[in-house]
Amino acid sequence: SGHAKQDKKSGVAIVISHKLLSIIEWFKRIDDRLMSLCIKTADGPTLFLNNYTPTEPSEEEKKLLHWKRAHSELQEHSKALPRILIGDMNTRWHARLKGEETRLGQFVFGKGESYLNTLKDPQKSNRNCLLDILTQEDMIFLSFLFFPETNASY
């Protein structure tokens, strides 16, 4: 994504079948790490926000700006509109803490709660920012609802 004249090292993409071109309501490039797509469905429009989050070792300001842009894009569209945040979150959860049960399923992978508690804030800023978005936008981190080695359906 992004523009050819920009000197960027990142990018996100959305690849779809030609058959789906007719159901695209709109497509928007936000920056080299975020793009949104709204498609028509039988129940109305659905927003897909594709993201490539800066990794935890990245500059704190860069990570916070990314999450601010992602959250702003979600907030721009009503909570009544189904919204799906997809892509590489670059988030190291390590554990599900007490009070996070409504946002994270039981199958969280990582080094555990004791390790998580040793990390400094900049080392868990992606975790904290994404958890804030999940909470404020009433979303769940779907990947942790299912055991990793099963092909579960909901």
Side-chain angles (χ1 to χ4, degrees):
S1 75
H3 304 282
K5 294 180 183 178
Q6 293 178 338
D7 182 26
K8 300 291 181 182
K9 296 180 181 176
S10 305
V12 292
I14 298 174
V15 179
I16 64 168
S17 165
H18 281 282
K19 296 175 187 177
L20 297 176
L21 290 174
S22 64
I23 66 168
I24 294 175
E25 291 220 359
W26 50 262
F27 173 84
K28 177 171 134 184
R29 287 185 189 102
I30 300 160
D31 61 28
D32 64 320
R33 291 181 174 272
L34 290 166
M35 65 173 52
S36 58
L37 170 72
C38 188
I39 62 169
K40 301 173 208 167
T41 70
D43 293 329
T46 297
L47 172 72
F48 291 86
L49 178 57
N50 191 5
N51 101 102
Y52 175 40
T53 305
T55 60
E56 285 295 3
S58 299
E59 297 171 19
E60 187 71 3
E61 186 176 312
K62 186 176 182 180
K63 293 183 287 185
L64 295 176
L65 178 60
H66 172 80
W67 286 115
K68 182 178 180 180
R69 286 180 177 158
H71 196 191
S72 177
E73 182 66 15
L74 289 170
Q75 288 179 315
E76 192 175 304
H77 307 284
S78 166
K79 287 184 183 178
L81 174 74
R83 298 165 304 156
I84 302 168
L85 176 61
I86 57 175
D88 189 344
M89 310 297 168
N90 275 317
T91 301
R92 306 297 174 254
W93 294 101
H94 293 297
R96 180 178 73 177
L97 302 177
K98 185 175 178 162
E100 297 176 347
E101 298 86 359
T102 59
R103 303 295 159 219
L104 305 177
Q106 64 179 337
F107 301 109
V108 176
F109 51 88
K111 297 181 178 182
E113 186 174 344
S114 58
Y115 175 79
L116 178 61
N117 291 332
T118 67
L119 298 177
K120 294 178 174 39
D121 283 342
Q123 295 173 296
K124 42 187 181 178
S125 60
N126 282 342
R127 184 190 200 284
N128 294 340
C129 288
L130 181 51
L131 191 59
D132 285 346
I133 289 173
L134 295 176
T135 302
Q136 292 175 33
E137 299 305 313
D138 195 23
M139 301 174 91
I140 60 169
F141 197 83
L142 185 64
S143 302
F144 295 151
L145 288 181
F146 307 106
F147 191 71
E149 287 139 19
T150 62
N151 292 323
S153 59
Y154 212 66

